[in-house]
Amino acid sequence: MPANYISPISMEAISSLCGELGKNNSIRPSDYERYDVKRGLRNSDNTGVMAGLTRICSVEGYYILDGERVPKEGKLLYRGYDIQDLIGNVIKEERYGYEEISWLLIFGELPTAAQLDAYREVIGACRKLPDEFVEDIIMKHASKDIMNKMARCVMALYSFDENPDDISVPNVLRQSLQLVSQFPTIMNTAYQVKRRAFYNKSMYLHPIKERISTAEFILRQIRPNKKYTQEEAHLLDICLMLHSDHGGGNNSTFATRVLTSSGTDTYSSIAAGIGALKGPRHGGANIKVAKQTEYFTETLSDSTDEAQVKDLLVKILNKEAGDGSGLIYGMGHAVYTKSDPRALILKENARKLAYEHGFEKEFKTLENIEKLTPEVFAEVKDYDKAMCANVDLYSGLVYKVLGIPEDLYTPLFATARISGWCAHRLEEITSNGRIMRPAYKSVSKPKTYKPIGERE
């Protein structure tokens, strides 16, 4: 294990300062209402504040009637195409679809067969990282967290780019295609180095194989024997397609667009997206769901029994069980109300493989959580609004079924979302042309300067 850096700042000293910091930084909730400030860029009904326009992706879960939100079945549209149609046809034709979705998001229309073949060839050819990059950037400084390592690697790629600051569309497109290609390689290499440094296990750095799909490439690289079934690779491919984008307002994409609006380089913008996605309120939520599922199966004598699951859900909501947060992870969404199309697709396609690989109990546990949570919310919180499972409820179990280590749950999300981030960066460059600069109102009172000798 690498030696930890010992900070010269003691935590005891820091603790003594926290009271001072907290006293001067808290803002009363009533002040937000007084000045009509939208906390978290959210309206009072929890809808997002309209901050921009996009042609890339639409997330729909309700419509407005007489000023009220009316729930409807969720829809996710990539460039106007329904995600259920896109994935349904890929499954029907028994092929891999992530590269097609990546092209669609970046270029705006479905590719022809010739365009898709050429795109797949480019993706495969660019998977290799620059000479000495793995040894100098990844292996010398192992990280406990793969997301942080991926952000560092992306920033380091700036130094290997002959023209990193050129934000013309052709140059940013070149950088984008390279990043889409290299993300799986960066993710796996960072994980293998962590295995060696922190788990005392062997690294497996297999030779790069070009002429396979992204999903196949990921499974081949992370498994010691490089073996996988087509059924497994197709399920992972579905995950990648579902996570490729989710509109301009999700936290990581918005972060990418904010940095892009400043005129900064591609690597800085994408690193911001990685940092945002890492958060447990965003991409890191799938790990929370995985731990929650383990808690249910370990705590209850039979987590497939609805009565037992309901009792535990009630305790969790009352902060009497679980992690004490009062949250049920994997349930509810800021936009989707009646259904999250991503969760529906994932659940439908994961069931067979989950049962075959011995995860029937975990799958049924998730079904119980999905079914009973709205009922429990209504009884405990008097919450009468529509609530559905979100994609995180089933994605963690899918990764577990595929033998993907928990360390890679959120990095896999990033590896899919890089296509969406790049698409939004390109749209921001070509369409907006103004730096994002929202206003913050100061609620500090005027003060008179005191000489240092007169301060108490």
Side-chain angles (χ1 to χ4, degrees), residues 23-42:
K23 181 175 64 177
N24 296 312
N25 283 279
S26 60
I27 296 175
R28 294 173 298 183
S30 59
D31 282 342
Y32 289 95
E33 298 177 8
R34 177 184 176 189
Y35 297 110
D36 192 29
V37 173
K38 314 293 187 181
R39 281 203 287 175
L41 296 180
R42 298 282 187 90

Side-chain angles (χ1 to χ4, degrees), residues 260-279:
T260 296
S261 75
S262 75
T264 194
D265 64 278
T266 296
Y267 304 103
S268 295
S269 297
I270 299 302
I274 296 172
L277 191 69
K278 177 191 173 184

